[in-house]
Amino acid sequence: MNQPSALQAAQTAKRIVLASLLGACAVIATLLGERVAFQRSYGEAMVHARDAADLGRKILLIDERLTLTAKLAAETGERRWQLRYEANLPIMRQTIDQAIALAPPSIGRRFNAAITEANGSLVRLEREALSLGARGARDEARSMLEGDAYLSAKKQLEQASRQFRAAIDDHARAQAATAQREANLLQTIAVGAGLLLFAFLWRRLTTDLGRTVVDYEQATAQIETLANQDALTGLLNRTRLAEELEQMIARCQRTGEQAALILLDIDRLRPINDQYGHAVGDGVLKFIGQRIAATVRNDEIAARLGADEFAIAVYCGDNPEAPMRAARRLINAISVPMTVDGHIIEVGATAGVAMTPTDSTDANDLLRKADVALVRAKIESRGNVRCFQGQMDAEIRERGLLQSELRQAIVDGQIVPYFQPLVDLATDTVVGFEVLARWLHPTRGLIPPDTFIPVAEESGLIGELTFAVTRAALEHSHNWDQALTIAINVSQRQLHDPWLAEKILALLTETGFQPHRLEVEITENALVSDLGTAKYIIQSLRNQGVKLALDDFGTGYSSLSHLADLPFDKIKIDRSFIKTMREQAQSATIVRSIVGLGRSLGLPTLAEGVETIEDANTLRDIGCTMAQGYYYARPQPAADVPAMLRQLHDNARGTSRHKRRA
Ligand code: C2E
Ligand code: CA
Ligand code: CA
C-alpha cells in the first residue's frame, strides 16, 4: 500500500472525527441555548400577562372602592368618607400607570386613553355627587351616582380593563409564538448547519478514502503483478506456475483430460550475451516469451523459470504423440531467426515433457519429472525433446552417484582410451584412430562415454578427464606406425579454457608424441559458445602442427562461415546422416552435398557410423574420403589394436580381391 496516502487518509479521518464531535457539540449547545432563551422569553411574556391581568382586576376593585366611598360620602356627607375617597384616587392613578408600564407601548397608549377617559368621567361625576352630598342634596347626589351617565362610565372602565387584559393576553401569546418561531428557525439553522458540516466532512472523508482505496488497489494490483509475473517477459513466474499447475491438475482429474508440462531450455543464450551484451540477450528472451505466449491458449500456462528456462503447460488430446508435437511446435517457433538490435539471431531449445495425471498429480513432482526428462534430452543432444519415463528417475540418481565417484576414477586410471580406426575409403587402409573414453568401473563394468562425459562436463572434471585419457592414448600409441594419426575429442567446456592449447602441447612434449600425428575433434556446437577463445585455441594448435577436425557436422548450429574462417583439416559427417542414408536412399543427397562442400573447401570428409559394406560403397561413390564405423571395427582397448589392425588389413585385401573380381 502507498504509505503517504494511507497516512493522509488516516489523518483526514482523525480530523474529520474531531470536527464532527465539535460540530455536534456546537449544534447541541445552540439547541440548548435556544431552549433556555425560549423558556426565558416565554416565561417573561407569561409573567407580564399575569401581572397585567392582576392590575386590570385591581383597577376594577379600586374603582368599586371609589364608587363605594363616593356613595357613602354623598349619603352621609361625612368628611371621613370624603377623605377616604380622595385617598383612593392616587392609588387608582398609580395602578393605571403600573398597568400601562407593564403593557407594550401600543397597548399602553390605547388603554391609557380609554381608561383615563372612563376614570376621568367617573371621578368628575363622583366629585359632583360629593359636593351635592356636602351641600345636603342627598337625593340628587344618589341619583347622580346611580344615573345612566355614571353607570355607562363605569361600564366603559370595566370594558377598557377587560380589553386591556385581553390585549395583554394576545400580546403574550403572540410573543410566545414569535419566540417559538424564532426557536424553530434557530433549530432549523443549527440542524441545517450541522447537516451541511457533516455532508462536507463526509465528502472529504470519502474522496480522501476513495483516493486511498484507488491507490491501494493500484498498489496491490502492482504488487500482485510483480509477485506473479516475470518482469522481463511478462509470463508467469515460478511461484505462480506452481499454483496454476495445481489448478490444471485438478481440472484434469475432474474431467479426465490429459495435460503436458513442457520444460524448455534455450540453447546458446550465453554466447549471445557474451557476444552482443545483455541488452540483446534480454531482447531475445522477450521475443521468446512472446512466441511462447502466442502458442498457448487462455486456459493454458506459460511461465519463465530461470535465466533461460521456460515452462509451458498445455491440454492434450488422447493422441500419445500430442505432447511431443506441442513441444516440437514450441521449439520450432523459438528457432525462427529474430532481429534484435539490428542483429539477426537464431536460438534453439531443448525440451523435457511430463504428463498429468499419467506421470504425476502433484505440481512439484510433475515439475521435477519434466526436469528429469529435460536433463535426459540435453544429454542426448540439443534441440531434442524427451518425455519422462520411469527409468529416468533412476538414471538421474545414477548420475548423482557417478558424479561422486568420477574424480577418484580419473585419478585411479579407471577412465581408459579405446581406439576406433579411421579408414581411407579409396584404399581401405587404416589412417588413424579416434580415441573414445571408457570407464572401466570396478563394480558396474564398462560405462559408455555418453553416460559419464556429461557428468564430467557438469562437475567441471572434463578437463582432467580428457587429459588423463589423452595422456594414456598418446603413451599407448606413440610407438605405433608413425603414419597413424590419433584423434581426441575436446568438449565445448574445454574451449572456454584459454590455456587449452598450451596444456595439449605440454602433453605432447611430455609423451614425446609428434604434433602432426595429433588431431583434435571439435563439434560445431562447441564453436558457438565462445568463438573468440575457440579461435585462439585452434590457431595456437594449428601453429604447432596439430590437425583439427570439425566433428558431428550437420547436427549443430555453426554457420558455414566458421568452416571457411577456421583452419580445419577435416569434416566429420555425423552418423545420423549415414543412418538416414541407409534407411532412405534419397538421404544420400544430404551426404553428397556435405562431401561437395568439403571438396569445394579443399577439405577431406570422414563419414561416421559406417556399419555396412553398402554404406562404404555408397560413400566411396559419392566421393567421401574416409570412414569410421562398426563395419570396420568397434572401439577397442589399446591392447587389442595390433590384432584389429591385422584383421582390417586382411579384410581390405579380401575386399580388394573381391572388388577386382567384381
Ligand atoms: P563422437 O565423437 O561422435 O564419437 C563417435 C561415436 O560413434 C562413438 O561413440 C563411437 O563408438 C560411435 N560409433 C562408431 N562407429 C559407429 C557405428 O558404426 N555405429 C554407431 N551407431 N555408432 C558408432 P562413443 O564412444 O559412445 O562416444 C560417444 C561420444 O562421447 C563421442 O561422440 C564423443 O562426443 C564423446 N566422447 C567419447 N570420448 C570422449 C573423450 O575422451 N572426451 C570427450 N570430450 N568426449 C568424448
Ligand atoms: Ca569425435
Ligand atoms: Ca562424431
Side-chain angles (χ1 to χ4, degrees), residues 40-210:
R40 190 180 313 132
S41 59
Y42 181 80
E44 266 172 20
M46 287 305 138
V47 169
H48 277 203
R50 198 193 56 220
D51 288 354
D54 285 352
L55 287 171
R57 271 189 291 275
K58 196 172 166 189
I59 286 168
L60 290 183
L61 268 174
I62 297 169
D63 177 56
E64 278 310 306
R65 206 179 291 158
L66 283 170
T67 305
L68 186 70
T69 46
K71 272 185 181 165
L72 285 171
E75 288 279 343
T76 59
E78 283 177 9
R79 176 102 184 120
R80 58 178 181 136
W81 296 115
Q82 208 172 337
L83 285 175
R84 202 167 284 182
Y85 173 80
E86 288 298 338
N88 274 317
L89 277 179
I91 296 173
M92 181 61 147
R93 188 63 254 167
Q94 207 180 344
T95 310
I96 289 170
D97 286 347
Q98 271 177 1
I100 286 165
L102 262 183
S106 62
I107 296 175
R109 266 196 307 278
R110 205 165 359 112
F111 171 69
N112 191 19
I115 215 151
T116 308
E117 194 197 323
N119 191 45
S121 307
L122 285 171
V123 170
R124 195 169 21 83
L125 290 170
E126 281 159 358
R127 282 236 170 89
E128 266 178 47
L130 281 183
S131 68
L132 283 171
R135 272 187 267 126
R138 283 182 196 141
D139 288 341
E140 275 176 61
R142 194 185 304 125
S143 60
M144 181 160 284
L145 291 179
E146 285 169 1
D148 289 343
Y150 190 77
L151 287 178
S152 104
K154 227 172 153 55
K155 208 173 271 167
Q156 206 184 332
L157 183 76
E158 202 188 299
Q159 207 174 356
S161 164
R162 205 173 43 245
Q163 278 172 353
F164 172 72
R165 272 178 290 149
I168 292 285
D169 229 32
D170 284 351
H171 178 75
R173 252 197 292 280
Q175 221 176 345
T178 312
Q180 184 68 62
R181 259 202 310 282
E182 280 170 2
N184 286 347
L185 187 69
L186 204 67
Q187 246 176 39
T188 314
I189 290 170
V191 170
L195 282 176
L196 270 173
L197 182 71
F198 272 116
F200 169 73
L201 294 178
W202 181 249
R203 224 189 111 70
R204 267 298 302 273
L205 190 65
T206 47
T207 351
D208 268 29
L209 278 183

Side-chain angles (χ1 to χ4, degrees), residues 208-337:
D208 268 29
L209 278 183
R211 219 177 295 138
T212 312
V213 167
V214 170
D215 284 353
Y216 174 77
E217 279 167 357
Q218 278 173 352
T220 7
Q222 217 170 344
I223 288 165
E224 200 166 303
T225 312
L226 285 177
N228 293 329
Q229 243 181 30
D230 168 53
L232 187 64
T233 60
L235 300 181
L236 301 180
N237 61 18
R238 189 180 275 276
T239 326
R240 202 43 209 289
L241 168 73
E243 287 169 22
E244 298 273 320
L245 211 50
E246 267 158 27
Q247 288 179 18
M248 206 164 181
I249 291 169
R251 174 171 145 182
C252 285
Q253 284 178 310
R254 238 183 7 255
T255 62
E257 284 169 290
Q258 282 276 334
L261 172 66
I262 303 167
L263 283 191
L264 276 185
D265 188 84
I266 307 301
D267 306 335
R268 277 170 298 131
L269 199 69
R270 210 185 106 168
I272 289 167
N273 280 329
D274 291 349
Q275 198 171 341
Y276 304 111
H278 283 270
V280 173
D282 285 355
V284 170
L285 282 169
K286 270 190 214 166
F287 251 113
I288 293 172
Q290 284 165 11
R291 288 178 182 179
I292 289 175
T295 65
V296 298
R297 298 191 321 223
N298 269 350
D299 58 347
E300 297 176 335
I301 304 170
R304 180 170 173 229
L305 300 188
D308 52 3
E309 200 169 287
F310 292 84
I312 297 95
V314 293
Y315 290 100
C316 295
D318 289 337
N319 189 342
E321 290 294 303
M324 270 293 216
R325 237 183 281 139
R328 290 239 167 272
R329 210 171 33 244
L330 276 163
I331 293 177
N332 289 342
I334 290 166
S335 307
V336 175

Side-chain angles (χ1 to χ4, degrees), residues 434 436 489 521 523 550-553 572-575 608 628:
E434 178 176 0
L436 294 158
N489 292 283
E521 295 189 3
T523 64
L550 185 57
D551 202 0
D552 299 350
F553 187 78
K572 293 188 79 173
I573 307 169
D574 191 70
R575 63 179 182 272
E608 298 178 322
Q628 169 185 7

